[in-house]
Amino acid sequence: MSITMMLFDIAILLVQAAFSQPEQVLYGIVLVITHTIVMDKMLMLGDSRTEVKIISTRSDEIRTAILAEIDRGVTVLHGEGGYTGEPSEVLLSVISNRELPRLEKLVHSIDPACFLIVSRVTEVSGRGFSMEKEYQ
């Protein structure tokens, strides 16, 4: 959306370049680029989510706590330690940006030594995000 608007704005500025001073056209181009960047950030702000991967020896307790206290889904991935070769469970959950501090506090209260990986994701679809939740 923002790129399309920027292309139209720059096309208008290029036509205007024949009739205006070069400084005004350059200011217009800077304004269009700034406007595009801000609009792009604002559009992405609402859709941005946080992906959390948790590796812990107490994964069952953490999974139960996330489901009960934060009301977010959790996927259990089965992994293996690269150095030790020991099997481990990796918990994967996608939460809103505002829920991250609460989740971190919850997870560290259960297992202070857990391994926590936090990533920003720009698009999430599925139950609880783009589809209504089903309560049982």
Side-chain angles (χ1 to χ4, degrees):
M1 176 77 174
S2 59
I3 297 296
T4 304
M5 288 182 62
M6 181 180 79
L7 293 175
F8 280 117
D9 289 341
I10 288 184
I12 291 168
L13 286 170
L14 290 176
V15 170
Q16 183 183 353
F19 307 105
S20 299
Q21 297 176 355
E23 294 85 18
Q24 289 178 334
V25 175
L26 288 176
Y27 284 132
I29 291 173
V30 169
L31 181 66
V32 166
I33 291 171
T34 305
H35 181 264
T36 302
I37 292 170
V38 170
M39 186 187 322
D40 211 29
K41 297 292 181 190
M42 293 302 291
L43 288 172
M44 296 305 288
L45 185 64
D47 293 337
S48 179
R49 300 281 190 234
T50 302
E51 173 189 48
V52 180
K53 292 179 190 139
I54 305 161
I55 303 170
S56 171
T57 55
R58 300 175 69 183
S59 60
D60 285 336
E61 294 173 56
I62 294 172
R63 179 183 53 81
T64 304
I66 292 172
L67 290 169
E69 296 184 33
I70 300 187
D71 192 30
R72 283 291 171 201
V74 179
T75 300
V76 179
L77 307 171
H78 299 283
E80 180 179 311
Y83 182 72
T84 63
E86 294 180 15
S88 64
E89 290 186 343
V90 179
L91 302 178
L92 171 68
S93 187
V94 178
I95 59 175
S96 71
N97 298 333
R98 291 179 306 204
E99 293 170 323
L100 180 60
R102 188 169 155 215
L103 181 121
E104 287 176 330
K105 185 177 179 182
L106 176 69
V107 169
H108 284 117
S109 71
I110 295 170
D111 184 5
C114 72
F115 192 72
L116 189 69
I117 303 166
V118 178
S119 306
R120 302 279 183 224
V121 292
T122 56
E123 185 174 336
V124 180
S125 61
R127 193 153 320 280
F129 292 96
S130 62
M131 300 166 61
E132 291 293 319
K133 282 187 177 183
E134 285 183 7
Y135 292 100
Q136 299 174 350

